[in-house]
Amino acid sequence: MARHKEFDREEALEKAMETFWCYGYEGTSIQVLVKNMGINRGSLYDTFGDKRALFQSAIAHYDQTVVKDAIARLEAPDASKSAIIDHFYTLIDRAVTDVQRRGCLITNTAVELCPHDPDTATRIATNLKRIEQAFYQALVRAKEKGELSDKHDLNALANFLTCTLQGLRVTSKVNPDREVLRRIAQVALSVLD
């Protein structure tokens, strides 16, 4: 008779995501995963597959929870220039209070795995495109409201804002100084003037 799983899959996936976010893919062992997830090896493999499959599920979970929440204001029907500005300063607030200096799982994965893992690179590119699209939509609304001049190439601005956001995330892991990060954001956001 098959044994009934005695754990919540979503809760275990959340814990796996947190573990990968703290230690990265290579820095996370199966032993650390089963300990942090509160399940045994057999349950991990039966439910999620191998470590790589679990990591891919954790990235998807991150996108559907953390990224979705982070860009919700940018995707709101009334989002425009102020939503973009708030997005950057909210990121800074989170970064300076993150005592573990986790940064962003998407950014961390891009740096760690994308140069030598084409499948992960494709997945991360999709995640970044989602963020870029949220910026683009907010920029379109800002232009419609007269908050941006016609001189702006909105696609290029969305690319730039996404790139700058990722750079801020990396910088915040090295130097989580609020004033340093605010100055970087102020310079970056001056392109919206």
Side-chain angles (χ1 to χ4, degrees), residues 28-156:
T28 300
S29 68
I30 292 293
Q31 185 61 35
V32 168
L33 282 167
V34 297
K35 177 180 177 255
N36 289 356
M37 293 169 73
I39 63 176
N40 63 46
R41 281 180 189 262
S43 294
L44 185 150
Y45 290 119
D46 288 346
T47 305
F48 299 103
D50 62 8
K51 177 181 166 183
R52 181 176 170 77
L54 175 57
F55 182 71
Q56 296 298 331
S57 294
I59 291 289
H61 182 70
Y62 183 87
D63 185 53
Q64 291 305 308
T65 57
V66 177
V67 173
K68 181 180 178 182
D69 289 347
I71 64 174
R73 179 123 193 271
L74 290 172
E75 293 179 324
D78 64 338
S80 59
K81 186 176 176 179
S82 64
I84 295 168
I85 293 167
D86 289 348
H87 187 78
F88 273 81
Y89 290 113
T90 298
L91 177 144
I92 291 168
D93 289 341
R94 288 183 185 146
V96 299
T97 58
D98 179 7
V99 294
Q100 295 176 306
R101 294 188 188 180
R102 295 177 305 171
C104 168
L105 181 57
I106 301 299
T107 307
N108 298 347
T109 301
V111 172
E112 180 185 8
L113 297 179
C114 290
H116 54 82
D117 184 337
D119 293 337
T120 300
T122 299
R123 178 176 294 274
I124 296 304
T126 300
N127 293 118
L128 291 175
K129 191 68 175 170
R130 180 179 183 194
I131 296 165
E132 184 181 301
Q133 189 61 32
F135 276 128
Y136 178 78
Q137 292 302 322
L139 288 164
V140 167
R141 288 186 291 276
K143 190 170 184 179
E144 289 169 353
K145 291 179 179 181
E147 298 172 346
L148 295 176
S149 73
D150 289 335
K151 71 178 181 176
H152 293 293
D153 175 339
L154 301 187
N155 284 310

